[in-house]
Amino acid sequence: MILYLHGFRSGPQSQKVRSLADRLASRGLGEQLWCEQLSPVPFEAIAQAEAQIARCAEPPTLVGSSLGGFYVTWLAQRHGLRAVAINPFVPHAAFDQSLFIGEHEMIYSGERFRFTEAHAMQVAALEVTRISRPENVWLLAEEGDEVLDCRVAVARYAGCRQTVLPGGDHSFTRWDDYLDEVIAFAGLA
């Protein structure tokens, strides 16, 4: 089973989720993907994912993009799971989290939500400063990410499997090129 956690303001309708769902379905594995709309409240999003992890008969592989990549890193550490972090959010001194405080709209549903200082503190509480099982984590990053500095992720995920590609952007433009490898990493090949 693959549990996919989308990024801030994104959702299950994202291109990455649809591409992964299509590839799994083409292999007869369509039922092996879980992705639902995550709460914009960090602790609630984590609770949603942990509830799904608890329902899995076998340990799932976590895949997440941006803030979802941050979440899957924390969940992988907590539960000893494998994780693929795609252009993940990585807190660091130069990143101004206050840029996210305020009103936002979900890209696909149009639902509005308010991200508060308390929510930013929840994100800070979930930070993983050292990955204790680097063999379980795979970083996928593009150097052209205009939202997050991939060098920060490369440093944080030191010792992990890393695929760092030139160019691209925050959406991870070469996602479709890595679908089969992600599926194999999840043990579904």
Side-chain angles (χ1 to χ4, degrees):
M1 171 73 66
I2 295 175
L3 275 57
Y4 189 103
L5 279 62
H6 62 77
F8 189 72
R9 297 183 49 237
S10 190
Q13 306 89 342
S14 77
Q15 183 60 44
K16 283 190 289 297
V17 176
R18 290 193 326 255
S19 293
L20 181 57
D22 290 347
R23 184 66 55 91
L24 286 166
S26 74
R27 294 169 153 218
L29 299 168
E31 73 286 350
Q32 294 298 314
L33 177 64
W34 174 90
C35 181
E36 66 179 42
Q37 185 68 52
L38 296 174
S39 170
V41 177
F43 285 173
E44 289 177 10
I46 291 293
Q48 285 175 265
E50 288 192 309
Q52 184 59 33
I53 289 168
R55 287 191 283 271
C56 291
E58 300 286 327
T61 296
L62 309 169
V63 178
S65 178
S66 192
L67 186 58
F70 173 80
Y71 290 157
V72 302
T73 303
W74 187 86
L75 289 161
Q77 293 292 107
R78 179 177 171 97
H79 298 283
L81 299 172
R82 285 176 291 181
V84 179
I86 308 158
N87 282 340
F89 168 69
V90 178
H92 59 93
F95 188 81
D96 183 4
Q97 286 193 43
S98 71
L99 297 173
F100 292 95
I101 306 297
E103 292 289 327
H104 298 278
E105 184 175 304
M106 293 294 190
I107 296 168
Y108 301 101
S109 70
E111 178 185 345
R112 297 202 54 79
F113 68 95
R114 181 163 184 72
F115 194 81
T116 68
E117 193 71 44
H119 297 146
M121 290 174 63
Q122 289 178 16
V123 170
L126 296 167
E127 183 177 3
V128 173
T129 57
R130 188 182 69 79
I131 297 173
S132 61
R133 296 179 188 99
E135 68 278 4
N136 285 353
V137 180
W138 179 14
L139 170 67
L140 283 171
E142 288 183 326
E143 293 173 343
D145 186 336
E146 73 284 6
V147 176
L148 302 171
D149 184 345
C150 100
R151 295 172 298 183
V152 175
V154 167
R156 179 65 51 90
Y157 290 81
C160 299
R161 177 179 176 181
Q162 294 191 6
T163 302
V164 181
L165 304 169
D169 60 35
H170 189 61
S171 73
F172 196 80
T173 60
R174 283 162 278 192
W175 173 241
D176 288 354
D177 297 340
Y178 289 89
L179 291 174
D180 293 328
E181 285 185 66
V182 168
I183 292 167
F185 185 77
L188 298 175

